[in-house]
Amino acid sequence: MSKTPIRLTVNGLPHEVAVEPRRTLADALRDDCGLTGTHLGCEHGVCGACTVLLDGEAVRACLHFAIQADGHAIRTVEGLAAPDGSLNPLQRAFWENHGLQCGFCTPGFLMLATWMLEQPGPVDEARLRHVLSSNLCRCTGYQNILTAVRTAAQELGKWREGATPA
Amino acid sequence: MKCPPFDYHAPRSQAEALALLARHGEEGKILAGGQSLVPTMAFRLARPASLIDINRIAELDTCRAEANRLRIGALARHARFERPVVPGPTGALLARAAEHIAHAPIRTRGTFCGSLAHADPASEWCCIALALGAEMRVLREGGERLVPAADWFQAVFTTALGPDELLAEASLPILGPDWRCGFAEFNRRAGDFALAMAVTALRLDVAGHVAEARIALGGVAGTPVLAREAAASLLGAPPTPDRLRAAAALAAEGFEPTEDAQVPADYRRDLVRAMTRRALEGSLAA
C-alpha cells in the first residue's frame, strides 16, 4: 500500500512524514514522529490513553487517521513541560497527589484535563467527574487523578465549589 | 487491532463526494467523525475498499434554523449540541441528550448525521429523530430525496440510505413553548450504550390538556420505536401523575424487547417503564 506525504504540526514543530491511509494518528505520532508519550491501550476508542489535542479539541488519536490530520496542529504530552523540563501546574499536581501509579494512562488523562481546563468557564466537581469518566486507569487510581486535576484547577483559578457527589 | 488497508479520498465539495460515491458504490464508505466506523474497521468487522472523508467539505459544516426547522449538516459534531443551538424545547432536548453520548472527546469528532446513518439501536440522536419526526435530505449524483424518520430506520445498523447516497442534512422541527420535551436513559456506567432510553414530547393546549404526544424508545429493540398507544393515552386530558404512570406502563408493553443474558426482556420492559415516566415527569417539572 503506497504512502502519502503529510505535514503535521506537533507541539508547534513541523513533522513531514509519509503514511498509509490506514495509519492512525496515534501510530504516526509514536512511530513516524518518534513521540512515544502518546500511549495506545485499546485501539478502539474506549480507554482514552491516546487522547491528544487536535486543533485544540481533545480527540482519541486511535480513531483518527493521520492522513486526516494533514495540515493540522496536534498537541501531545511531550508539549506540556517547559523546555527545561520543569513540570506545568497540571503535571506537578499529578506528581504531588500521587495521580499516577503505573503511568500508562497518564498521558491521556493529562491531555484530557488540559483540554478541560482550557475550555471557557469554571470546572466544578460534576464537570470534573463527567469529563474524566472518558478515560480508564488500569490501576484504578481514579481518586488521586481527580484530586490532582482538582488541585490544578484550583491553582489555575478554574475551580468552582459545588455539591460533591458521594 | 490495526484497520485493514483502504484507498483514501478527501473531496473538497459535495459534488466531488457524490461523484466518488457514484464511482465506488458498495465499496466506498463515507468517513465523517469516524467514532463508530473506525472502531468497526479496527475490529475488522468493516473492510471498505475506499473511504471518502467529508471533513474538508465546508458546506456540510452547518447547523441553522430555517423555516421553523433546525437544519443539521453532515459535519455538525455532537459537542455542538451540548449548549442549546436554538431557543426553546428542541435545543434544550438536544442539549439534555448530548451529554449522554459516549464521552467528551468522542463528542468533539462524532457527528449528528453520522449517528443517524450508522443507526445504532442505542443512539440518542436516532431516538430523538424518530420522536420529533426528523427529515433526512439524501443526495446522490444527479438526485436528491427526502426521507422521513419513520421510513429511515429499517433494522440494526440499517437505514434507507443507499450505497451511492450521502446523508447531507437532517432537519428537526423547532418546537414552540407549548411543547414539553423529556429525556431519560439508563446505563450501568457513564458513557456506555443505554440499556433503555425514552424521548417524550407533549404539546399542551391553553387549558393545559395534552393536544399532541410523541414517545420514542431507544436501546430496547433493533431500531428506535414509537410508543404510539402510550402517547395516544395521554391525549385530551391534563398530564396528571397517574396518567403519566399509566402511559409509562403502556410504553413498557408496546414493543418487542431485545433480550440478552445481562438484560432479560422483563428487565428491559421495567427500564422502559421507569425511563418513560422519568422523561414525562421531568418534562413537566420545569
Side-chain angles (χ1 to χ4, degrees):
Chain A
M1 188 57 69
S2 66
K3 293 186 174 182
T4 306
I6 59 168
R7 281 181 69 100
L8 307 176
T9 303
V10 188
N11 302 322
L13 297 175
H15 287 261
E16 293 189 20
V17 297
V19 294
E20 275 186 61
R22 64 170 169 161
R23 194 155 189 86
T24 64
L25 178 58
D27 281 335
L29 288 168
R30 290 178 56 84
D31 299 337
D32 298 311
C33 301
L35 296 167
T36 54
T38 299
H39 291 173
L40 275 162
C42 69
E43 297 193 294
H44 62 269
V46 169
C47 78
C50 66
T51 306
V52 299
L53 305 197
L54 175 70
D55 297 332
E57 297 276 20
V59 302
R60 305 276 208 244
C62 72
L63 297 187
H64 201 280
F65 296 112
I67 197 166
Q68 296 182 272
D70 186 16
H72 292 267
I74 296 125
R75 286 160 63 198
T76 69
V77 70
E78 286 92 346
L80 293 183
D84 69 358
S86 55
L87 303 181
N88 79 5
L90 179 65
Q91 292 172 302
R92 204 166 54 240
F94 268 72
W95 176 281
E96 288 169 356
N97 291 284
H98 194 48
L100 58 155
Q101 293 179 49
C102 84
F104 191 85
C105 70
T106 310
F109 269 106
L110 285 170
M111 297 318 291
L112 179 66
T114 296
W115 171 75
M116 180 182 74
L117 295 171
E118 287 179 359
Q119 300 297 298
V123 174
D124 61 10
E125 190 65 30
R127 172 80 180 155
L128 174 74
R129 288 173 185 241
H130 177 76
V131 173
L132 264 56
S133 74
S134 154
N135 286 20
L136 299 179
C137 165
R138 62 189 187 183
C139 309
T140 69
Y142 295 106
Q143 290 305 324
N144 288 344
I145 293 170
L146 291 167
T147 303
V149 179
R150 198 183 296 121
T151 303
Q154 286 162 348
E155 186 182 333
L156 295 166
K158 292 287 289 183
W159 187 250
R160 179 172 63 196
E161 286 300 332
T164 306
Chain B
M1 211 160 30
K2 311 297 179 191
C3 293
F6 55 86
D7 286 328
Y8 176 78
H9 306 274
R12 298 285 176 152
S13 71
Q14 208 168 262
E16 212 184 316
L18 297 179
L20 284 162
L21 270 176
R23 175 146 34 106
H24 294 285
E26 294 278 1
E27 297 298 310
K29 196 88 184 146
I30 292 288
L31 173 62
Q35 303 299 289
S36 299
L37 176 60
V38 180
T40 309
M41 290 172 65
F43 280 124
R44 309 252 167 157
L45 295 171
R47 295 170 172 270
S50 297
L51 286 190
I52 301 163
D53 179 2
I54 59 172
N55 283 282
R56 291 172 198 266
I57 304 178
E59 64 197 295
L60 294 174
D61 191 6
T62 58
C63 181
R64 63 185 196 281
E66 191 183 287
N68 234 16
R69 305 281 294 184
L70 177 64
R71 302 193 172 279
I72 302 165
L75 281 181
R77 319 260 175 205
H78 306 316
R80 193 160 181 163
F81 301 92
E82 290 177 22
R83 290 193 181 83
V85 289
V86 282
T90 301
L93 174 64
L94 293 170
R96 172 93 181 75
E99 66 177 36
H100 290 278
I101 299 173
H103 295 287
I106 303 287
R107 297 197 291 267
T108 60
R109 294 298 302 169
T111 63
F112 187 96
C113 286
S115 288
L116 298 188
H118 183 57
D120 189 291
S123 157
E124 287 81 1
W125 293 150
C126 292
C127 195
I128 287 178
L130 186 65
L132 299 194
E135 193 172 66
M136 323 309 172
R137 192 163 75 90
V138 170
L139 305 181
R140 53 194 277 275
E141 198 168 37
E144 170 176 347
R145 64 192 179 113
L146 294 173
V147 184
D151 299 334
W152 182 257
F153 302 107
Q154 297 183 340
V156 183
F157 303 131
T158 308
T159 70
L161 190 69
D164 59 345
E165 289 182 318
L166 169 70
L167 174 56
E169 185 182 277
S171 76
L172 293 171
I174 298 175
L175 301 175
D178 49 346
W179 284 88
R180 304 284 182 275
C181 293
F183 178 88
E185 80 168 47
F186 181 84
N187 45 27
R188 292 199 172 104
R189 293 172 302 190
D192 272 8
F193 291 100
L195 300 186
M197 78 180 73
V199 174
T200 64
L202 306 180
R203 185 169 69 80
L204 302 182
D205 64 20
V206 285
H209 293 191
V210 178
E212 285 182 68
R214 311 263 301 173
I215 300 174
L217 311 173
V220 298
T223 66
V225 290
L226 284 174
R228 288 198 175 83
E229 267 184 67
S233 77
L234 290 166
L235 296 175
T240 59
D242 283 350
R243 296 183 66 88
L244 299 185
R245 260 196 302 277
L250 276 176
E253 298 307 321
F255 68 100
E256 277 309 310
T258 311
E259 205 170 358
D260 57 58
Q262 294 185 6
V263 189
D266 285 352
Y267 179 42
R268 204 149 234 148
R269 289 192 194 281
D270 201 45
L271 286 173
V272 164
R273 179 165 34 241
M275 292 309 109
T276 306
R277 187 168 58 80
R278 278 184 206 172
L280 287 168
E281 289 176 355
S283 74
L284 295 159

mmCIF file of all heavy atoms in Angstrom, chain A residues 66-105:
data_model
loop_
_atom_site.group_PDB
_atom_site.id
_atom_site.type_symbol
_atom_site.label_atom_id
_atom_site.label_comp_id
_atom_site.label_asym_id
_atom_site.label_seq_id
_atom_site.Cartn_x
_atom_site.Cartn_y
_atom_site.Cartn_z
ATOM 1 N N ALA A 66 -4.057 9.501 10.513
ATOM 2 C CA ALA A 66 -3.040 10.550 10.425
ATOM 3 C C ALA A 66 -3.246 11.397 9.172
ATOM 4 O O ALA A 66 -3.076 12.617 9.195
ATOM 5 C CB ALA A 66 -1.649 9.921 10.422
ATOM 6 N N ILE A 67 -3.653 10.752 8.089
ATOM 7 C CA ILE A 67 -3.812 11.457 6.812
ATOM 8 C C ILE A 67 -4.899 12.538 6.925
ATOM 9 O O ILE A 67 -4.838 13.559 6.236
ATOM 10 C CB ILE A 67 -4.116 10.432 5.681
ATOM 11 C CG1 ILE A 67 -3.865 11.045 4.309
ATOM 12 C CG2 ILE A 67 -5.512 9.858 5.798
ATOM 13 C CD1 ILE A 67 -3.826 10.010 3.189
ATOM 14 N N GLN A 68 -5.855 12.318 7.825
ATOM 15 C CA GLN A 68 -6.898 13.331 8.045
ATOM 16 C C GLN A 68 -6.339 14.565 8.740
ATOM 17 O O GLN A 68 -6.926 15.632 8.676
ATOM 18 C CB GLN A 68 -8.020 12.777 8.929
ATOM 19 C CG GLN A 68 -8.814 11.643 8.363
ATOM 20 C CD GLN A 68 -9.898 11.251 9.349
ATOM 21 O OE1 GLN A 68 -9.683 10.431 10.232
ATOM 22 N NE2 GLN A 68 -11.062 11.857 9.220
ATOM 23 N N ALA A 69 -5.228 14.376 9.452
ATOM 24 C CA ALA A 69 -4.652 15.478 10.238
ATOM 25 C C ALA A 69 -3.648 16.283 9.414
ATOM 26 O O ALA A 69 -3.013 17.201 9.956
ATOM 27 C CB ALA A 69 -3.991 14.935 11.495
ATOM 28 N N ASP A 70 -3.512 15.944 8.132
ATOM 29 C CA ASP A 70 -2.576 16.678 7.261
ATOM 30 C C ASP A 70 -2.879 18.179 7.324
ATOM 31 O O ASP A 70 -4.010 18.600 7.073
ATOM 32 C CB ASP A 70 -2.743 16.154 5.819
ATOM 33 C CG ASP A 70 -1.721 16.753 4.865
ATOM 34 O OD1 ASP A 70 -0.711 17.318 5.330
ATOM 35 O OD2 ASP A 70 -1.948 16.656 3.642
ATOM 36 N N GLY A 71 -1.872 18.949 7.706
ATOM 37 C CA GLY A 71 -2.041 20.402 7.780
ATOM 38 C C GLY A 71 -2.599 20.902 9.100
ATOM 39 O O GLY A 71 -2.809 22.104 9.259
ATOM 40 N N HIS A 72 -2.841 19.992 10.034
ATOM 41 C CA HIS A 72 -3.452 20.398 11.303
ATOM 42 C C HIS A 72 -2.426 20.415 12.445
ATOM 43 O O HIS A 72 -1.326 19.886 12.319
ATOM 44 C CB HIS A 72 -4.610 19.463 11.653
ATOM 45 C CG HIS A 72 -5.781 19.609 10.724
ATOM 46 N ND1 HIS A 72 -6.832 20.451 10.974
ATOM 47 C CD2 HIS A 72 -6.036 19.037 9.522
ATOM 48 C CE1 HIS A 72 -7.700 20.383 9.969
ATOM 49 N NE2 HIS A 72 -7.240 19.533 9.068
ATOM 50 N N ALA A 73 -2.850 21.032 13.560
ATOM 51 C CA ALA A 73 -1.961 21.190 14.728
ATOM 52 C C ALA A 73 -2.364 20.208 15.817
ATOM 53 O O ALA A 73 -3.544 20.095 16.167
ATOM 54 C CB ALA A 73 -2.044 22.613 15.261
ATOM 55 N N ILE A 74 -1.370 19.513 16.351
ATOM 56 C CA ILE A 74 -1.609 18.493 17.375
ATOM 57 C C ILE A 74 -0.781 18.843 18.602
ATOM 58 O O ILE A 74 0.348 19.336 18.481
ATOM 59 C CB ILE A 74 -1.211 17.106 16.835
ATOM 60 C CG1 ILE A 74 -2.118 16.730 15.659
ATOM 61 C CG2 ILE A 74 -1.309 16.026 17.911
ATOM 62 C CD1 ILE A 74 -1.384 16.384 14.433
ATOM 63 N N ARG A 75 -1.358 18.601 19.758
ATOM 64 C CA ARG A 75 -0.573 18.737 20.993
ATOM 65 C C ARG A 75 -0.580 17.410 21.728
ATOM 66 O O ARG A 75 -1.619 16.767 21.859
ATOM 67 C CB ARG A 75 -1.143 19.856 21.871
ATOM 68 C CG ARG A 75 -0.809 21.253 21.315
ATOM 69 C CD ARG A 75 -1.731 22.295 21.872
ATOM 70 N NE ARG A 75 -1.599 22.410 23.303
ATOM 71 C CZ ARG A 75 -2.516 22.986 24.090
ATOM 72 N NH1 ARG A 75 -3.635 23.473 23.562
ATOM 73 N NH2 ARG A 75 -2.322 23.064 25.382
ATOM 74 N N THR A 76 0.585 17.030 22.205
ATOM 75 C CA THR A 76 0.735 15.761 22.916
ATOM 76 C C THR A 76 1.360 16.039 24.283
ATOM 77 O O THR A 76 1.763 17.168 24.584
ATOM 78 C CB THR A 76 1.654 14.794 22.149
ATOM 79 O OG1 THR A 76 2.988 15.320 22.191
ATOM 80 C CG2 THR A 76 1.223 14.652 20.695
ATOM 81 N N VAL A 77 1.470 14.983 25.067
ATOM 82 C CA VAL A 77 2.011 15.117 26.422
ATOM 83 C C VAL A 77 3.427 15.695 26.407
ATOM 84 O O VAL A 77 3.831 16.383 27.361
ATOM 85 C CB VAL A 77 1.944 13.751 27.153
ATOM 86 C CG1 VAL A 77 2.951 12.762 26.544
ATOM 87 C CG2 VAL A 77 2.145 13.909 28.643
ATOM 88 N N GLU A 78 4.170 15.456 25.311
ATOM 89 C CA GLU A 78 5.545 15.970 25.251
ATOM 90 C C GLU A 78 5.581 17.501 25.254
ATOM 91 O O GLU A 78 6.628 18.100 25.535
ATOM 92 C CB GLU A 78 6.261 15.463 23.999
ATOM 93 C CG GLU A 78 6.671 13.998 24.063
ATOM 94 C CD GLU A 78 5.616 13.053 23.499
ATOM 95 O OE1 GLU A 78 4.455 13.497 23.303
ATOM 96 O OE2 GLU A 78 5.946 11.878 23.267
ATOM 97 N N GLY A 79 4.432 18.132 24.921
ATOM 98 C CA GLY A 79 4.410 19.584 24.826
ATOM 99 C C GLY A 79 4.022 20.288 26.120
ATOM 100 O O GLY A 79 3.922 21.514 26.147
ATOM 101 N N LEU A 80 3.783 19.518 27.189
ATOM 102 C CA LEU A 80 3.259 20.148 28.413
ATOM 103 C C LEU A 80 4.348 20.815 29.261
ATOM 104 O O LEU A 80 4.170 21.923 29.749
ATOM 105 C CB LEU A 80 2.501 19.116 29.269
ATOM 106 C CG LEU A 80 1.197 18.563 28.665
ATOM 107 C CD1 LEU A 80 0.535 17.606 29.653
ATOM 108 C CD2 LEU A 80 0.241 19.678 28.272
ATOM 109 N N ALA A 81 5.465 20.129 29.461
ATOM 110 C CA ALA A 81 6.507 20.672 30.332
ATOM 111 C C ALA A 81 7.245 21.805 29.625
ATOM 112 O O ALA A 81 7.213 21.918 28.396
ATOM 113 C CB ALA A 81 7.492 19.567 30.724
ATOM 114 N N ALA A 82 7.896 22.652 30.408
ATOM 115 C CA ALA A 82 8.702 23.734 29.838
ATOM 116 C C ALA A 82 9.919 23.122 29.131
ATOM 117 O O ALA A 82 10.288 21.975 29.404
ATOM 118 C CB ALA A 82 9.159 24.677 30.955
ATOM 119 N N PRO A 83 10.551 23.882 28.220
ATOM 120 C CA PRO A 83 11.720 23.344 27.502
ATOM 121 C C PRO A 83 12.813 22.821 28.439
ATOM 122 O O PRO A 83 13.524 21.867 28.104
ATOM 123 C CB PRO A 83 12.219 24.543 26.693
ATOM 124 C CG PRO A 83 10.999 25.385 26.493
ATOM 125 C CD PRO A 83 10.160 25.204 27.725
ATOM 126 N N ASP A 84 12.923 23.422 29.624
ATOM 127 C CA ASP A 84 13.962 22.943 30.558
ATOM 128 C C ASP A 84 13.496 21.724 31.364
ATOM 129 O O ASP A 84 14.195 21.253 32.267
ATOM 130 C CB ASP A 84 14.387 24.071 31.509
ATOM 131 C CG ASP A 84 13.285 24.452 32.503
ATOM 132 O OD1 ASP A 84 12.169 23.863 32.422
ATOM 133 O OD2 ASP A 84 13.516 25.326 33.351
ATOM 134 N N GLY A 85 12.299 21.227 31.047
ATOM 135 C CA GLY A 85 11.833 20.010 31.702
ATOM 136 C C GLY A 85 11.002 20.252 32.947
ATOM 137 O O GLY A 85 10.474 19.289 33.528
ATOM 138 N N SER A 86 10.868 21.509 33.383
ATOM 139 C CA SER A 86 10.073 21.731 34.594
ATOM 140 C C SER A 86 8.591 21.516 34.283
ATOM 141 O O SER A 86 8.094 21.914 33.228
ATOM 142 C CB SER A 86 10.343 23.125 35.174
ATOM 143 O OG SER A 86 10.106 24.100 34.205
ATOM 144 N N LEU A 87 7.923 20.870 35.230
ATOM 145 C CA LEU A 87 6.539 20.450 35.011
ATOM 146 C C LEU A 87 5.584 21.634 35.054
ATOM 147 O O LEU A 87 5.817 22.600 35.786
ATOM 148 C CB LEU A 87 6.142 19.428 36.089
ATOM 149 C CG LEU A 87 7.013 18.173 36.195
ATOM 150 C CD1 LEU A 87 6.462 17.244 37.293
ATOM 151 C CD2 LEU A 87 7.088 17.431 34.863
ATOM 152 N N ASN A 88 4.502 21.536 34.278
ATOM 153 C CA ASN A 88 3.472 22.586 34.360
ATOM 154 C C ASN A 88 2.572 22.300 35.564
ATOM 155 O O ASN A 88 2.701 21.246 36.205
ATOM 156 C CB ASN A 88 2.734 22.736 33.021
ATOM 157 C CG ASN A 88 1.663 21.679 32.785
ATOM 158 O OD1 ASN A 88 1.368 20.847 33.645
ATOM 159 N ND2 ASN A 88 1.070 21.714 31.610
ATOM 160 N N PRO A 89 1.678 23.220 35.928
ATOM 161 C CA PRO A 89 0.882 23.032 37.159
ATOM 162 C C PRO A 89 0.084 21.727 37.174
ATOM 163 O O PRO A 89 -0.036 21.092 38.235
ATOM 164 C CB PRO A 89 -0.040 24.256 37.164
ATOM 165 C CG PRO A 89 0.700 25.297 36.394
ATOM 166 C CD PRO A 89 1.468 24.552 35.338
ATOM 167 N N LEU A 90 -0.443 21.314 36.034
ATOM 168 C CA LEU A 90 -1.220 20.073 35.989
ATOM 169 C C LEU A 90 -0.311 18.867 36.230
ATOM 170 O O LEU A 90 -0.627 17.978 37.033
ATOM 171 C CB LEU A 90 -1.928 19.957 34.633
ATOM 172 C CG LEU A 90 -2.761 18.696 34.416
ATOM 173 C CD1 LEU A 90 -3.952 18.642 35.368
ATOM 174 C CD2 LEU A 90 -3.243 18.613 32.957
ATOM 175 N N GLN A 91 0.825 18.839 35.551
ATOM 176 C CA GLN A 91 1.762 17.722 35.748
ATOM 177 C C GLN A 91 2.253 17.670 37.191
ATOM 178 O O GLN A 91 2.362 16.602 37.798
ATOM 179 C CB GLN A 91 2.971 17.881 34.810
ATOM 180 C CG GLN A 91 2.633 17.710 33.346
ATOM 181 C CD GLN A 91 3.823 18.073 32.477
ATOM 182 O OE1 GLN A 91 4.334 19.202 32.538
ATOM 183 N NE2 GLN A 91 4.277 17.139 31.654
ATOM 184 N N ARG A 92 2.542 18.860 37.750
ATOM 185 C CA ARG A 92 3.034 18.930 39.118
ATOM 186 C C ARG A 92 1.967 18.402 40.088
ATOM 187 O O ARG A 92 2.274 17.692 41.048
ATOM 188 C CB ARG A 92 3.411 20.375 39.462
ATOM 189 C CG ARG A 92 4.429 20.494 40.590
ATOM 190 C CD ARG A 92 5.014 21.895 40.659
ATOM 191 N NE ARG A 92 3.997 22.922 40.761
ATOM 192 C CZ ARG A 92 3.823 23.915 39.876
ATOM 193 N NH1 ARG A 92 4.613 24.017 38.824
ATOM 194 N NH2 ARG A 92 2.875 24.804 40.050
ATOM 195 N N ALA A 93 0.711 18.730 39.800
ATOM 196 C CA ALA A 93 -0.378 18.262 40.674
ATOM 197 C C ALA A 93 -0.483 16.734 40.626
ATOM 198 O O ALA A 93 -0.768 16.095 41.644
ATOM 199 C CB ALA A 93 -1.697 18.905 40.259
ATOM 200 N N PHE A 94 -0.267 16.134 39.455
ATOM 201 C CA PHE A 94 -0.262 14.662 39.369
ATOM 202 C C PHE A 94 0.868 14.102 40.221
ATOM 203 O O PHE A 94 0.713 13.120 40.934
ATOM 204 C CB PHE A 94 -0.102 14.207 37.901
ATOM 205 C CG PHE A 94 -1.409 13.996 37.190
ATOM 206 C CD1 PHE A 94 -2.208 15.066 36.821
ATOM 207 C CD2 PHE A 94 -1.861 12.713 36.899
ATOM 208 C CE1 PHE A 94 -3.414 14.872 36.170
ATOM 209 C CE2 PHE A 94 -3.073 12.501 36.253
ATOM 210 C CZ PHE A 94 -3.847 13.578 35.883
ATOM 211 N N TRP A 95 2.039 14.730 40.129
ATOM 212 C CA TRP A 95 3.230 14.296 40.885
ATOM 213 C C TRP A 95 2.959 14.378 42.389
ATOM 214 O O TRP A 95 3.182 13.436 43.135
ATOM 215 C CB TRP A 95 4.389 15.206 40.475
ATOM 216 C CG TRP A 95 5.687 15.015 41.191
ATOM 217 C CD1 TRP A 95 6.024 15.461 42.433
ATOM 218 C CD2 TRP A 95 6.841 14.335 40.691
ATOM 219 N NE1 TRP A 95 7.313 15.121 42.738
ATOM 220 C CE2 TRP A 95 7.848 14.426 41.687
ATOM 221 C CE3 TRP A 95 7.150 13.676 39.491
ATOM 222 C CZ2 TRP A 95 9.122 13.877 41.522
ATOM 223 C CZ3 TRP A 95 8.406 13.127 39.333
ATOM 224 C CH2 TRP A 95 9.371 13.225 40.332
ATOM 225 N N GLU A 96 2.426 15.529 42.803
ATOM 226 C CA GLU A 96 2.290 15.773 44.247
ATOM 227 C C GLU A 96 1.132 15.007 44.876
ATOM 228 O O GLU A 96 1.121 14.776 46.080
ATOM 229 C CB GLU A 96 2.132 17.285 44.500
ATOM 230 C CG GLU A 96 3.445 18.023 44.254
ATOM 231 C CD GLU A 96 3.283 19.540 44.237
ATOM 232 O OE1 GLU A 96 2.130 20.014 44.336
ATOM 233 O OE2 GLU A 96 4.310 20.220 44.097
ATOM 234 N N ASN A 97 0.134 14.643 44.058
ATOM 235 C CA ASN A 97 -1.046 13.982 44.610
ATOM 236 C C ASN A 97 -1.082 12.487 44.299
ATOM 237 O O ASN A 97 -2.122 11.854 44.421
ATOM 238 C CB ASN A 97 -2.320 14.659 44.098
ATOM 239 C CG ASN A 97 -2.482 16.059 44.663
ATOM 240 O OD1 ASN A 97 -2.859 16.224 45.809
ATOM 241 N ND2 ASN A 97 -2.148 17.067 43.864
ATOM 242 N N HIS A 98 0.040 11.945 43.869
ATOM 243 C CA HIS A 98 0.095 10.522 43.528
ATOM 244 C C HIS A 98 -0.981 10.194 42.493
ATOM 245 O O HIS A 98 -1.720 9.216 42.610
ATOM 246 C CB HIS A 98 -0.075 9.668 44.799
ATOM 247 C CG HIS A 98 0.286 8.232 44.606
ATOM 248 N ND1 HIS A 98 1.451 7.809 44.000
ATOM 249 C CD2 HIS A 98 -0.389 7.087 44.933
ATOM 250 C CE1 HIS A 98 1.481 6.496 43.973
ATOM 251 N NE2 HIS A 98 0.383 6.024 44.522
ATOM 252 N N GLY A 99 -1.061 11.055 41.474
ATOM 253 C CA GLY A 99 -2.079 10.889 40.432
ATOM 254 C C GLY A 99 -1.705 9.837 39.404
ATOM 255 O O GLY A 99 -2.428 9.660 38.424
ATOM 256 N N LEU A 100 -0.560 9.187 39.589
ATOM 257 C CA LEU A 100 -0.208 8.081 38.690
ATOM 258 C C LEU A 100 0.432 6.963 39.477
ATOM 259 O O LEU A 100 1.147 7.203 40.438
ATOM 260 C CB LEU A 100 0.726 8.524 37.561
ATOM 261 C CG LEU A 100 2.064 9.162 37.917
ATOM 262 C CD1 LEU A 100 3.034 8.962 36.781
ATOM 263 C CD2 LEU A 100 1.896 10.640 38.223
ATOM 264 N N GLN A 101 0.127 5.741 39.047
ATOM 265 C CA GLN A 101 0.811 4.585 39.629
ATOM 266 C C GLN A 101 1.706 3.990 38.542
ATOM 267 O O GLN A 101 2.880 4.321 38.449
ATOM 268 C CB GLN A 101 -0.219 3.590 40.170
ATOM 269 C CG GLN A 101 -0.975 4.176 41.364
ATOM 270 C CD GLN A 101 -2.022 3.242 41.911
ATOM 271 O OE1 GLN A 101 -1.763 2.070 42.165
ATOM 272 N NE2 GLN A 101 -3.230 3.763 42.100
ATOM 273 N N CYS A 102 1.149 3.168 37.638
ATOM 274 C CA CYS A 102 1.998 2.619 36.576
ATOM 275 C C CYS A 102 2.282 3.666 35.502
ATOM 276 O O CYS A 102 3.266 3.567 34.781
ATOM 277 C CB CYS A 102 1.381 1.366 35.967
ATOM 278 S SG CYS A 102 0.157 1.667 34.671
ATOM 279 N N GLY A 103 1.404 4.654 35.370
ATOM 280 C CA GLY A 103 1.655 5.754 34.445
ATOM 281 C C GLY A 103 1.177 5.535 33.021
ATOM 282 O O GLY A 103 1.311 6.421 32.183
ATOM 283 N N PHE A 104 0.604 4.349 32.745
ATOM 284 C CA PHE A 104 0.228 4.075 31.357
ATOM 285 C C PHE A 104 -0.874 5.020 30.868
ATOM 286 O O PHE A 104 -0.830 5.523 29.751
ATOM 287 C CB PHE A 104 -0.217 2.618 31.173
ATOM 288 C CG PHE A 104 -0.343 2.242 29.734
ATOM 289 C CD1 PHE A 104 0.753 1.812 29.008
ATOM 290 C CD2 PHE A 104 -1.558 2.375 29.059
ATOM 291 C CE1 PHE A 104 0.655 1.513 27.659
ATOM 292 C CE2 PHE A 104 -1.672 2.080 27.720
ATOM 293 C CZ PHE A 104 -0.557 1.642 27.024
ATOM 294 N N CYS A 105 -1.855 5.302 31.729
ATOM 295 C CA CYS A 105 -2.990 6.127 31.319
ATOM 296 C C CYS A 105 -2.674 7.613 31.433
ATOM 297 O O CYS A 105 -3.455 8.449 30.976
ATOM 298 C CB CYS A 105 -4.224 5.793 32.163
ATOM 299 S SG CYS A 105 -4.084 6.325 33.889
#
